[in-house]
Amino acid sequence: MGYFGYLAYYNWSYLIFMLPCIIFSLIVQGYMNSTFKKYSGIRNSRNLTGAQAAQRVLMQHGVTGVRIERIAGNFTDHFDPRTNVIRLSEPVYDSNSIAAVGVACHEAGHAVQHAEGYLPNKIRSIILPAANIGSKLSWIFIIAGLVASALQPLLYIGIILFSAAVLFTIATLPVEFNASSRALKCIKATGMLSDAEYTGAKRTLQAAAMTYVASAATAVAQLLRLLMIANSRRD
């Protein structure tokens, strides 16, 4: 394949594989932002804050030794298994909104997963070191392999490294969905929210989950695109 033919193929492969994923990701991001904004503006009838809701999930599952801390920023909520700390963003920690309860319970769900040794969570942790290396180094090898034909073996090394990062995004999906499932079951079992409020929390967590689906879809599409480019260069 000549240079101009390869360039055209490269551009068309981007349109075929990546553009739909980018559009999908933008739609999902917009939906998540609007859903979170909507239910962040509605106070729950129990007047529970995000921090209190997370604590209730831990108590319901008999999980102890987990701290709940405030962290700056928006959408920065996470559970850190290294320090056993749930960190809730400022719009969640002290907020008594429906969205805050949903998000906080989700993060507490991750803490419960860690305490119970949830298998998919362990698998994701095993993949994490390779994924970190892959996300940092893969494109160095990929670009080098694309620029110079003599360095084409580096392209395949880069693709292998990138595959580790893709595998991590896929392994993340069951972990995130399960954390939301645990959160919603606990919300319903403990009566933290009314039925209408529960629906709002569920929609908030479903919208957030779709961002992980979009991320995984984009990563898989990029990997397929790289494999097609590598195959075309070999031919």
Side-chain angles (χ1 to χ4, degrees), residues 191-202:
M192 276 190 261
L193 300 176
S194 68
D195 289 343
E197 292 166 351
Y198 171 86
T199 299
K202 183 176 182 179

Side-chain angles (χ1 to χ4, degrees), residues 79-190:
F79 168 68
D80 186 347
R82 297 167 300 178
T83 56
N84 224 22
V85 174
I86 297 172
R87 296 190 176 93
L88 301 177
S89 63
E90 292 173 345
V92 171
Y93 187 92
D94 289 317
S95 174
N96 58 8
S97 71
I98 293 172
V101 170
V103 171
C105 290
H106 172 89
E107 297 307 331
H110 283 306
V112 175
Q113 288 175 338
H114 179 68
E116 295 182 353
Y118 180 57
L119 181 58
N121 200 36
K122 289 183 176 181
I123 294 173
R124 188 178 70 158
S125 297
I126 293 171
I127 299 171
L128 180 59
N132 285 336
I133 295 172
S135 62
K136 292 176 182 177
L137 299 180
S138 60
W139 285 102
I140 297 174
F141 288 93
I142 290 169
I143 292 172
L146 289 174
V147 168
S149 57
L151 299 177
Q152 187 165 339
L154 296 182
L155 173 59
Y156 293 101
I157 294 174
I159 290 174
I160 292 171
L161 291 172
F162 184 72
S163 297
V166 174
L167 185 60
F168 181 79
T169 64
I170 295 172
T172 294
L173 293 178
V175 175
E176 293 298 329
F177 279 106
N178 179 262
S180 290
S181 176
R182 290 171 184 264
L184 292 170
K185 286 180 181 178
C186 189
I187 288 172
K188 178 157 284 193
T190 58

Side-chain angles (χ1 to χ4, degrees), residues 10-87:
Y10 187 87
N11 291 333
W12 274 110
S13 69
Y14 184 87
L15 292 175
I16 293 171
F17 284 98
M18 301 311 300
L19 189 59
C21 291
I22 291 173
I23 294 172
F24 177 56
S25 296
L26 291 173
I27 293 172
V28 166
Q29 191 67 38
Y31 176 63
M32 187 197 73
N33 289 337
S34 63
T35 303
F36 186 82
K37 182 178 180 180
K38 175 182 178 179
Y39 291 106
S40 289
I42 304 176
R43 182 178 66 84
N44 71 79
S45 57
R46 307 291 190 271
N47 206 34
L48 282 173
T49 66
Q52 290 170 337
Q55 188 62 54
R56 288 200 178 191
V57 173
L58 298 177
M59 291 175 60
Q60 177 74 4
H61 289 85
V63 177
T64 59
V66 178
R67 298 197 315 276
I68 303 173
E69 300 177 351
R70 184 189 291 104
I71 189 173
N74 296 310
F75 303 116
T76 51
D77 312 271
H78 66 279
F79 168 68
D80 186 347
R82 297 167 300 178
T83 56
N84 224 22
V85 174
I86 297 172
R87 296 190 176 93

